[in-house]
């Protein structure tokens, strides 16, 4: 099978963990081991989140008095290279002899996307309410609630077209494990004359992964994070995992907009437009999610129950 695997940014840098290079490398090593288990038997394309990482770079840029802060599209490109380098290196240690490549990926968005007027994508570390208010006032940030903490939020425009798609297809057809569209890709606007320029925002990684999987005609899309499944009534005493669901069933429920919501939406988009299946679960369970033994399996039709998938 051809499988697109989307690794969550918070799983690569866990909540509350110091944002050090060593911490990220350790988490990437665990993720790469799980991806390698899938890649031994299937064609794999990897994408990843970058919320904590791009927020860290933005924070570092803000505290420098000598140089104006770099725009978010450039920081997106930096995180694609940084995280892709770590994933590529760790995968190579598990899959000696396999061809692996990281590709900086530009994704077109609409200049008039309403998301630019309503920042919603959490990036960077979490803050207590008082510190968040202080940072918002001092730096002109928009701050939003993410779970029980506050984080900076930035525009998250809708991904429309992957500019490097033809190159990605060439690499996949040549048997290369491709790491691409990291952090949702670099958001760019294409002018009527064909000019390209970056814009200030961070594309949602899961929605970009759904677009990537559809355009590559993938058989499966795995959305992997630090939660073992999609839950009904999350964060309440009545919480219960959904082991199998249709896109229609999921669309009738509400999920947290900054975390599980985009994953559910991405899974639904993919299965509705391709007839393939999607899995949502923990990074460590990647192969078991693909085989239908763990996580939440999403299909477009009415199949039920945990079952081994083709």
């Amino acid at each position: 099978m051809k499988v697109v695997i989307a690794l969550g940014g918070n799983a690569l840098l866990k909540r509350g963990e110091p944002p050090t290079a060593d911490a990220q490398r350790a988490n990437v090593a665990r993720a790469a081991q799980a991806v390698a288990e899938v890649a031994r038997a299937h064609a794999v394309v990897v994408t990843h989140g970058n919320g904590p990482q791009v927020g860290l770079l933005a924070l570092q840029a803000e505290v420098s008095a000598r140089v104006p802060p770099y725009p978010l599209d450039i920081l997106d490109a930096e995180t694609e290279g940084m995280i892709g380098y770590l994933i590529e290196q760790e995968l190579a240690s598990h899959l000696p002899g396999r061809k692996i490549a990281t590709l900086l990926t530009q994704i077109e968005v609409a200049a008039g996307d309403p998301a630019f007027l309503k920042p919603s994508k959490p990036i960077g570390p979490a803050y207590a309410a008082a510190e968040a208010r202080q940072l918002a006032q001092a730096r002109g940030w928009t701050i939003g609630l993410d779970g029980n903490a506050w984080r900076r939020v930035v525009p998250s425009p809708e991904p429309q077209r992957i500019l490097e798609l033809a190159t990605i297809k060439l690499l996949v057809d040549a048997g290369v494990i491709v790491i691409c569209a990291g952090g949702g890709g670099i958001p760019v606007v294409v002018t009527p004359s064909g000019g390209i320029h970056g814009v200030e925002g961070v594309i949602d990684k899961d929605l970009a992964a759904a677009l990537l999987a559809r355009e590559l005609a993938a058989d499966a899309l795995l959305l992997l994070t630090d939660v073992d499944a999609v839950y009904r009534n999350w964060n309440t005493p009545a919480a219960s995992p959904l082991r199998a669901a249709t896109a229609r069933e999921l669309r009738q429920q509400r999920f947290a907009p900054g975390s599980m919501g985009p994953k559910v939406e991405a899974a639904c988009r993919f299965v509705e437009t391709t007839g393939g299946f999607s899995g949502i679960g923990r990074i460590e369970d990647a192969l078991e999610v693909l085989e239908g033994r763990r996580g939440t399996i999403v299909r477009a039709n009415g199949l039920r129950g945990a079952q081994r998938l083709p």
Side-chain angles (χ1 to χ4, degrees):
M1 288 192 294
K2 185 185 298 180
V3 184
V4 171
I5 299 178
L7 305 173
N10 284 320
L12 297 175
L13 184 60
K14 299 182 185 299
R15 297 179 189 273
E17 201 171 37
T20 63
D22 287 344
Q24 293 188 71
R25 188 179 291 277
N27 290 326
V28 168
R30 287 190 289 270
Q33 182 175 352
V35 171
E37 290 178 358
V38 177
R40 289 190 179 99
H42 304 282
V44 166
V45 176
V46 180
T47 187
H48 56 80
N50 73 339
Q53 293 83 0
V54 76
L56 173 63
L57 292 180
L59 188 62
Q60 291 173 335
E62 287 282 349
V63 300
S64 174
R66 295 183 178 181
V67 180
Y70 275 43
L72 283 173
D73 61 302
I74 293 180
L75 299 183
D76 288 330
E78 288 186 29
T79 58
E80 273 202 273
M82 175 180 70
I83 300 171
Y85 158 70
L86 293 174
I87 295 173
E88 184 174 337
Q89 194 172 71
E90 293 296 333
L91 274 179
S93 68
H94 291 286
L95 299 168
R98 290 289 296 274
K99 299 174 183 177
I100 307 168
T102 299
L103 183 68
L104 289 181
T105 313
Q106 301 172 94
I107 296 187
E108 183 180 0
V109 301
D113 192 310
F116 289 114
L117 301 177
K118 296 178 64 177
S120 62
K121 176 68 175 175
I123 66 170
Y127 302 101
E131 186 180 8
R133 286 193 296 268
Q134 183 181 17
L135 286 168
Q137 184 175 11
R139 294 178 176 158
W141 290 357
T142 301
I143 299 292
L145 195 60
D146 181 25
N148 297 321
W150 295 84
R151 295 174 71 190
R152 180 186 177 187
V153 292
V154 301
S156 183
E158 182 80 14
Q160 295 189 336
R161 183 169 67 97
I162 302 168
L163 271 59
E164 284 77 18
L165 181 63
T167 304
I168 296 169
K169 287 181 175 179
L170 282 172
L171 291 168
V172 172
D173 290 345
V176 178
I177 298 173
V178 186
I179 304 162
C180 60
I186 305 161
V188 299
V189 168
V190 181
T191 67
S193 63
I196 301 171
H197 63 86
V199 292
E200 191 79 349
V202 174
I203 298 171
D204 183 84
K205 169 266 304 176
D206 297 312
L207 300 186
L211 175 63
L212 176 67
R214 186 191 75 196
E215 294 299 314
L216 291 176
D219 301 289
L221 169 63
L222 300 187
L223 301 151
L224 304 179
T225 182
D226 53 358
V227 179
D228 67 327
V230 178
Y231 278 73
R232 292 190 188 92
N233 306 310
W234 173 253
N235 218 19
T236 73
S240 62
L242 286 163
R243 293 304 176 193
T246 66
R248 182 178 179 182
E249 289 168 343
L250 290 179
R251 289 196 182 282
Q252 292 173 347
Q253 302 185 49
R254 296 186 65 182
F255 300 95
S259 54
M260 189 55 71
K263 291 174 177 56
V264 169
E265 176 63 24
C268 291
R269 289 187 188 188
F270 175 70
V271 302
E272 288 167 343
T273 56
T274 67
F277 67 92
S278 186
I280 302 174
R282 295 194 313 160
I283 288 178
E284 296 89 335
D285 300 333
L287 184 59
E288 292 169 296
V289 172
L290 180 66
E291 294 176 343
R293 295 184 285 119
R294 288 186 182 271
T296 298
I297 301 303
V298 184
R299 287 189 182 269
N301 57 28
L303 292 178
R304 292 289 191 278
Q307 54 195 295
R308 186 172 293 272
L309 299 168

